[in-house]
Amino acid sequence: MIKKITKPAKVVKKDLNTEEKIISAARKLFTQHGFVATKTRDIAKEAGINLALLNYYFRSKEKLFDIIMAENMINFIQSIGVVINDKNSSLEDKIYAITNNYIDLLIKQPDLPLFVLSELSRHPDKFIQKLKVNEVLSQSYLIKQYNGAVLSGKIKDVHPIHFIANILGLTVFPFVGAPMLKNISGFSNDAYIELMLERKNMIPAWMKSILIADVI
Amino acid sequence: MIKKITKPAKVVKKDLNTEEKIISAARKLFTQHGFVATKTRDIAKEAGINLALLNYYFRSKEKLFDIIMAENMINFIQSIGVVINDKNSSLEDKIYAITNNYIDLLIKQPDLPLFVLSELSRHPDKFIQKLKVNEVLSQSYLIKQYNGAVLSGKIKDVHPIHFIANILGLTVFPFVGAPMLKNISGFSNDAYIELMLERKNMIPAWMKSILIADVI
DNA sequence: TTAATTTTTAATCATTTGTTTAATTTTTTT
DNA sequence: AAAAAAATTAAACAAATGATTAAAAATTAA
């Protein structure tokens, strides 16, 4: 008699318990394909566990997803979060740190921003409130420094949300648009990563020039 | 006896034939929710037609999707496409035209970039080849102007792919990241659109300063 | 060791979903 | 007006999917 064996899709990390195996597989698949495109059976297969264990440990697909979503959101904003309230670094230092953190993070996890932004778009309310990015950022030392520099005339008077949009646009967009930009440039994946590493030094210089550019 | 009536989800555009109604509904739903999250029954309901007509006219969900995808990709790159080979405009003019085109387009269709970039990420090969963005752009007059300006020392020697990434990052990212940026800024939808309109004039100035910024 | 508890499994359920079918209605052609 | 072709419909199908169940196996407590 032939026994049907459900074997793990790839390498199931050893010395993880069942709960951790499921989280690990869910993290990978949800982040790669999003909520709707990820099937519970795919997660079970990837984790090398019985399908029923997913519900046994996490009640439902959605509850499991919420855990990964929260994880990924925090992950995504931490590149800014760890920097913004540092009293010992200049505005310029912070710009460098933010782009540097992001580029390192996104080279390791290129799917992260598209995942976070896609899922946020589908549930504008559900997740975004919890993080309180609003208060945390607007009360941050970074924004105080920015407004101070505006007042002292060191940089142009532009709403700080433009500043945030610009630094994220220059840093994160090349990863979100990677499939398109890789094709446009004809670069291989490795060459493209090299290009992203180049930007670690270029973006701070560009941001600096943006801050003093005459916009009227 | 009660007759069950399948009525259109919202307003079905008058004087459209069945085929057009389906395309119109598919365009709306696919662009809003992507391929997997959009169900054929939702399209039929939105179009106010019988479910079977979808397959009658378009064979399958995927074939219908491919039409919308092609449409949206062309739509998305046309903001650049209509500009890049104009011999009578300067590099500066082209930057302004591109950002202007994009911001107008994305205010009308905010879901467009996230849709295109998400679906491209899930099928890196399937769609991207057809457009030949690679050759069209690299052979374009815009890139010739860019390289000419580099040679004449008017702008810094930076690979043109950075230039493309930067203009798209500054212009498109604020729409892709809108749910997050709206929350951060606390702006209403209207106020946020106002912010995007502001950027029509700011981004060209910023791009100009980026082009001459010292990046070594 | 035995009993109780926890974990794992295979099978099954109820919906959902893309697609097809066969019959009916409408439109076009003769 | 009759016949042929095209469009539309309700019903159904098969596969996929999230979740549950009841039994078995493994672990822990007594």
PDB file of all heavy atoms in Angstrom, chain A residues 28 30 46 74 94 115 122-123 128 147 170 199:
ATOM      1  N   LYS A  28       6.583  33.914   5.316  1.00  0.00           N
ATOM      2  CA  LYS A  28       7.143  33.843   3.972  1.00  0.00           C
ATOM      3  C   LYS A  28       6.072  34.005   2.887  1.00  0.00           C
ATOM      4  O   LYS A  28       6.195  34.832   1.991  1.00  0.00           O
ATOM      5  CB  LYS A  28       7.866  32.503   3.788  1.00  0.00           C
ATOM      6  CG  LYS A  28       8.399  32.288   2.389  1.00  0.00           C
ATOM      7  CD  LYS A  28       9.136  30.966   2.253  1.00  0.00           C
ATOM      8  CE  LYS A  28       9.369  30.645   0.780  1.00  0.00           C
ATOM      9  NZ  LYS A  28       9.997  29.314   0.608  1.00  0.00           N
ATOM     10  N   PHE A  30       2.648  34.850   3.084  1.00  0.00           N
ATOM     11  CA  PHE A  30       1.834  36.068   3.120  1.00  0.00           C
ATOM     12  C   PHE A  30       2.618  37.253   2.559  1.00  0.00           C
ATOM     13  O   PHE A  30       2.094  38.032   1.767  1.00  0.00           O
ATOM     14  CB  PHE A  30       1.388  36.380   4.550  1.00  0.00           C
ATOM     15  CG  PHE A  30       0.176  35.616   4.997  1.00  0.00           C
ATOM     16  CD1 PHE A  30       0.100  35.093   6.286  1.00  0.00           C
ATOM     17  CD2 PHE A  30      -0.910  35.434   4.153  1.00  0.00           C
ATOM     18  CE1 PHE A  30      -1.028  34.387   6.710  1.00  0.00           C
ATOM     19  CE2 PHE A  30      -2.039  34.728   4.578  1.00  0.00           C
ATOM     20  CZ  PHE A  30      -2.088  34.205   5.861  1.00  0.00           C
ATOM     21  N   GLU A  46       4.212  24.295   3.293  1.00  0.00           N
ATOM     22  CA  GLU A  46       5.493  24.982   3.489  1.00  0.00           C
ATOM     23  C   GLU A  46       6.049  24.721   4.893  1.00  0.00           C
ATOM     24  O   GLU A  46       7.260  24.587   5.080  1.00  0.00           O
ATOM     25  CB  GLU A  46       5.310  26.492   3.267  1.00  0.00           C
ATOM     26  CG  GLU A  46       6.520  27.356   3.591  1.00  0.00           C
ATOM     27  CD  GLU A  46       7.590  27.298   2.509  1.00  0.00           C
ATOM     28  OE1 GLU A  46       7.232  27.050   1.340  1.00  0.00           O
ATOM     29  OE2 GLU A  46       8.783  27.471   2.840  1.00  0.00           O
ATOM     30  N   ILE A  74       5.553  46.846  11.678  1.00  0.00           N
ATOM     31  CA  ILE A  74       6.562  47.325  12.623  1.00  0.00           C
ATOM     32  C   ILE A  74       7.948  47.261  11.983  1.00  0.00           C
ATOM     33  O   ILE A  74       8.718  48.213  12.031  1.00  0.00           O
ATOM     34  CB  ILE A  74       6.527  46.480  13.911  1.00  0.00           C
ATOM     35  CG1 ILE A  74       5.252  46.798  14.694  1.00  0.00           C
ATOM     36  CG2 ILE A  74       7.768  46.728  14.758  1.00  0.00           C
ATOM     37  CD1 ILE A  74       5.003  45.883  15.865  1.00  0.00           C
ATOM     38  N   LYS A  94      20.407  61.818  10.253  1.00  0.00           N
ATOM     39  CA  LYS A  94      19.187  61.005  10.297  1.00  0.00           C
ATOM     40  C   LYS A  94      18.762  60.588   8.893  1.00  0.00           C
ATOM     41  O   LYS A  94      18.316  59.465   8.667  1.00  0.00           O
ATOM     42  CB  LYS A  94      18.067  61.774  10.998  1.00  0.00           C
ATOM     43  CG  LYS A  94      18.250  61.902  12.505  1.00  0.00           C
ATOM     44  CD  LYS A  94      17.004  62.450  13.176  1.00  0.00           C
ATOM     45  CE  LYS A  94      17.166  62.502  14.698  1.00  0.00           C
ATOM     46  NZ  LYS A  94      18.266  63.388  15.160  1.00  0.00           N
ATOM     47  N   PHE A 115       4.045  44.429  -0.002  1.00  0.00           N
ATOM     48  CA  PHE A 115       3.108  43.736   0.879  1.00  0.00           C
ATOM     49  C   PHE A 115       2.397  44.720   1.807  1.00  0.00           C
ATOM     50  O   PHE A 115       1.171  44.775   1.844  1.00  0.00           O
ATOM     51  CB  PHE A 115       3.833  42.682   1.710  1.00  0.00           C
ATOM     52  CG  PHE A 115       3.007  42.133   2.838  1.00  0.00           C
ATOM     53  CD1 PHE A 115       2.114  41.102   2.617  1.00  0.00           C
ATOM     54  CD2 PHE A 115       3.104  42.672   4.117  1.00  0.00           C
ATOM     55  CE1 PHE A 115       1.335  40.608   3.657  1.00  0.00           C
ATOM     56  CE2 PHE A 115       2.321  42.180   5.164  1.00  0.00           C
ATOM     57  CZ  PHE A 115       1.439  41.152   4.924  1.00  0.00           C
ATOM     58  N   ARG A 122      -5.958  47.810   1.020  1.00  0.00           N
ATOM     59  CA  ARG A 122      -7.186  47.022   1.035  1.00  0.00           C
ATOM     60  C   ARG A 122      -7.937  47.179   2.362  1.00  0.00           C
ATOM     61  O   ARG A 122      -9.131  46.960   2.428  1.00  0.00           O
ATOM     62  CB  ARG A 122      -6.876  45.543   0.805  1.00  0.00           C
ATOM     63  CG  ARG A 122      -5.999  45.321  -0.411  1.00  0.00           C
ATOM     64  CD  ARG A 122      -6.380  44.089  -1.204  1.00  0.00           C
ATOM     65  NE  ARG A 122      -5.397  43.792  -2.229  1.00  0.00           N
ATOM     66  CZ  ARG A 122      -5.162  44.568  -3.298  1.00  0.00           C
ATOM     67  NH1 ARG A 122      -5.836  45.683  -3.465  1.00  0.00           N
ATOM     68  NH2 ARG A 122      -4.245  44.248  -4.186  1.00  0.00           N
ATOM     69  N   HIS A 123      -7.228  47.522   3.429  1.00  0.00           N
ATOM     70  CA  HIS A 123      -7.879  47.745   4.728  1.00  0.00           C
ATOM     71  C   HIS A 123      -7.355  49.032   5.344  1.00  0.00           C
ATOM     72  O   HIS A 123      -6.634  48.979   6.346  1.00  0.00           O
ATOM     73  CB  HIS A 123      -7.610  46.588   5.676  1.00  0.00           C
ATOM     74  CG  HIS A 123      -7.856  45.245   5.109  1.00  0.00           C
ATOM     75  ND1 HIS A 123      -9.116  44.698   5.036  1.00  0.00           N
ATOM     76  CD2 HIS A 123      -7.028  44.327   4.559  1.00  0.00           C
ATOM     77  CE1 HIS A 123      -9.035  43.502   4.479  1.00  0.00           C
ATOM     78  NE2 HIS A 123      -7.771  43.257   4.175  1.00  0.00           N
ATOM     79  N   ILE A 128      -3.853  50.464  10.321  1.00  0.00           N
ATOM     80  CA  ILE A 128      -3.035  51.670  10.394  1.00  0.00           C
ATOM     81  C   ILE A 128      -3.143  52.399  11.732  1.00  0.00           C
ATOM     82  O   ILE A 128      -2.180  53.007  12.204  1.00  0.00           O
ATOM     83  CB  ILE A 128      -3.387  52.603   9.208  1.00  0.00           C
ATOM     84  CG1 ILE A 128      -2.094  53.123   8.588  1.00  0.00           C
ATOM     85  CG2 ILE A 128      -4.297  53.743   9.630  1.00  0.00           C
ATOM     86  CD1 ILE A 128      -2.300  53.732   7.228  1.00  0.00           C
ATOM     87  N   ASN A 147      11.600  71.419  11.541  1.00  0.00           N
ATOM     88  CA  ASN A 147      10.935  72.712  11.688  1.00  0.00           C
ATOM     89  C   ASN A 147      11.900  73.786  12.165  1.00  0.00           C
ATOM     90  O   ASN A 147      11.807  74.948  11.751  1.00  0.00           O
ATOM     91  CB  ASN A 147       9.747  72.589  12.651  1.00  0.00           C
ATOM     92  CG  ASN A 147       8.598  71.797  12.024  1.00  0.00           C
ATOM     93  OD1 ASN A 147       8.400  71.834  10.798  1.00  0.00           O
ATOM     94  ND2 ASN A 147       7.845  71.067  12.852  1.00  0.00           N
ATOM     95  N   LEU A 170      12.333  58.197  -2.779  1.00  0.00           N
ATOM     96  CA  LEU A 170      13.654  57.936  -3.347  1.00  0.00           C
ATOM     97  C   LEU A 170      14.208  56.584  -2.880  1.00  0.00           C
ATOM     98  O   LEU A 170      14.920  55.904  -3.615  1.00  0.00           O
ATOM     99  CB  LEU A 170      14.620  59.055  -2.965  1.00  0.00           C
ATOM    100  CG  LEU A 170      14.366  60.427  -3.614  1.00  0.00           C
ATOM    101  CD1 LEU A 170      15.330  61.475  -3.074  1.00  0.00           C
ATOM    102  CD2 LEU A 170      14.485  60.323  -5.133  1.00  0.00           C
ATOM    103  N   ARG A 199      22.867  53.929  -4.106  1.00  0.00           N
ATOM    104  CA  ARG A 199      21.929  54.964  -3.654  1.00  0.00           C
ATOM    105  C   ARG A 199      22.080  55.292  -2.179  1.00  0.00           C
ATOM    106  O   ARG A 199      21.619  56.340  -1.725  1.00  0.00           O
ATOM    107  CB  ARG A 199      20.486  54.543  -3.973  1.00  0.00           C
ATOM    108  CG  ARG A 199      20.195  54.488  -5.466  1.00  0.00           C
ATOM    109  CD  ARG A 199      18.795  53.990  -5.776  1.00  0.00           C
ATOM    110  NE  ARG A 199      17.734  54.947  -5.464  1.00  0.00           N
ATOM    111  CZ  ARG A 199      17.323  55.898  -6.297  1.00  0.00           C
ATOM    112  NH1 ARG A 199      17.870  56.005  -7.486  1.00  0.00           N
ATOM    113  NH2 ARG A 199      16.362  56.742  -5.935  1.00  0.00           N
TER     114      ARG A 199
END
